[in-house]
Amino acid sequence: MRDLGVGFRYLLKGQRWVARHGKQYGFGLLPGLITLVLYVAALLVLGLWGADFVGWATPFADDWSSPWLGLFRGLLTALLFALGLLLSVITFTAVTLLIGQPFYESLSEKVDRDVSPDGTAPESDLPLWRELWISGRDSLRIVVRALLWAVLLFALGFVPFLGQTVVPVIGFMVTGFFLTEELAAVALQRRGVELRARLALLRGRKTLVWGFGTPLGLAFLVPFVAVFLMPGAVAGATLMARDLLGEETREDGGAETPEAPPRPSPSIGRNGH
């Protein structure tokens, strides 16, 4: 259980790091703001026309008497919006990271150089288009996994007592795990660690992952909070990635220091070894 506290401390350390590096924080806000506008627009569309969609999708209920027709379609409309909200929380990080790939890659590299004993950071030897392709492909795979969990938990939510107690807790833990994977992928992908190897690393330290990702997932439920926490979350996930890989980290990292010129360093290959 000690890892729960360690994971949460990495989340706080990341927020402190961006607080000391205002320029990096400012650039890191832009992708989140763009994603937020897109998601708010999508949720508004769902809120305005969700009832019409439910009516179109349930023609078999047109002849139902009142109040059953209204109750049935009202419940489905509320469930549809709740599912859309859940999916927005699950996918927000993936979409933001994809839009802001160059921003967050730069931020993560600077964190690595700041806390590395020799002032260096692992660098990817792939072109930007290839990095974007890998990031988008892996994000899609993670989103599919998250959607499968979301559908399962959504169905279990109708089970009396279990659906109101255990299922929400499991839901936040699952959300926290996938959020952490997406955020840590920025640093781990730069080191050549593929998706399967990343998942294996995270599963080996589940309590660390939950300590980092679950509080973040809860915070992301508050409107606009995700935008302001994203840069620090990427910084904290970079620090956690170093821990997962056993890399040495300076405890006094985080103060403004002159940037050292990039230099190649040993990294895990694309096959995860």
Side-chain angles (χ1 to χ4, degrees):
M1 298 300 287
R2 173 180 172 275
D3 267 355
L4 282 174
V6 175
F8 185 65
R9 282 197 293 274
Y10 279 130
L11 181 59
L12 297 180
K13 284 181 180 180
Q15 302 303 325
R16 285 200 297 266
W17 192 93
V18 295
R20 293 169 179 156
H21 298 74
K23 184 177 180 181
Q24 296 302 314
Y25 180 64
F27 280 124
L29 288 177
L30 294 177
L33 289 171
I34 294 171
T35 308
L36 179 65
V37 170
L38 295 175
Y39 273 57
V40 167
L43 289 173
L44 282 175
V45 168
L46 191 60
L48 291 173
W49 286 285
D52 293 338
F53 173 78
V54 169
W56 170 82
T58 57
F60 58 85
D62 287 343
D63 298 329
W64 288 15
S65 61
S66 179
W68 305 116
L69 175 63
L71 289 174
F72 174 69
R73 286 181 171 169
L75 176 61
L76 287 182
T77 301
L79 290 175
L80 178 66
F81 188 82
L83 182 59
L85 190 61
L86 176 62
L87 292 180
S88 69
V89 172
I90 292 174
T91 61
F92 183 89
T93 301
V95 175
T96 302
L97 289 174
L98 188 60
I99 292 174
Q101 178 80 6
F103 296 94
Y104 296 131
E105 282 283 352
S106 175
L107 188 154
S108 179
E109 281 191 32
K110 286 180 169 60
V111 172
D112 269 323
R113 291 196 183 101
D114 192 36
V115 302
S116 174
D118 58 1
T120 63
E123 292 186 323
S124 172
D125 57 355
L126 298 177
L128 178 60
W129 71 267
R130 180 66 176 167
E131 290 287 347
L132 289 173
W133 165 255
I134 293 173
S135 178
R137 179 198 65 191
D138 290 350
S139 292
L140 181 60
R141 290 174 176 175
I142 289 298
V143 167
V144 169
R145 285 177 166 87
L147 288 177
L148 292 175
W149 272 99
V151 171
L152 174 62
L153 294 173
F154 182 73
L156 290 176
F158 291 99
V159 178
F161 183 73
L162 185 69
Q164 293 74 48
T165 54
V166 178
V167 171
V169 174
I170 295 175
F172 281 117
M173 292 172 72
V174 170
T175 300
F177 182 90
F178 287 122
L179 277 177
T180 303
E181 194 288 326
E182 288 285 351
L183 292 163
V186 178
L188 293 175
Q189 183 180 314
R190 183 158 40 84
R191 289 162 166 83
V193 185
E194 291 189 340
L195 176 60
R196 184 172 297 179
R198 294 200 300 266
L199 290 172
L201 276 173
L202 296 176
R203 288 176 185 137
R205 300 280 299 278
K206 286 191 184 74
T207 51
L208 176 72
V209 172
W210 290 330
F212 182 91
T214 303
L216 189 63
L218 287 168
F220 276 15
L221 291 176
V222 182
F224 307 111
V225 166
V227 174
F228 296 102
L229 292 185
M230 273 296 292
V234 172
T238 301
L239 295 172
M240 188 175 65
R242 297 179 65 89
D243 182 355
L244 290 169
L245 295 173
E247 297 178 359
E248 188 178 354
T249 299
R250 290 193 299 113
E251 290 298 324
D252 60 341
E256 288 281 5
T257 56
E259 289 187 10
R263 201 167 68 202
S265 61
S267 62
I268 295 179
R270 292 268 161 205
N271 60 2
H273 297 292

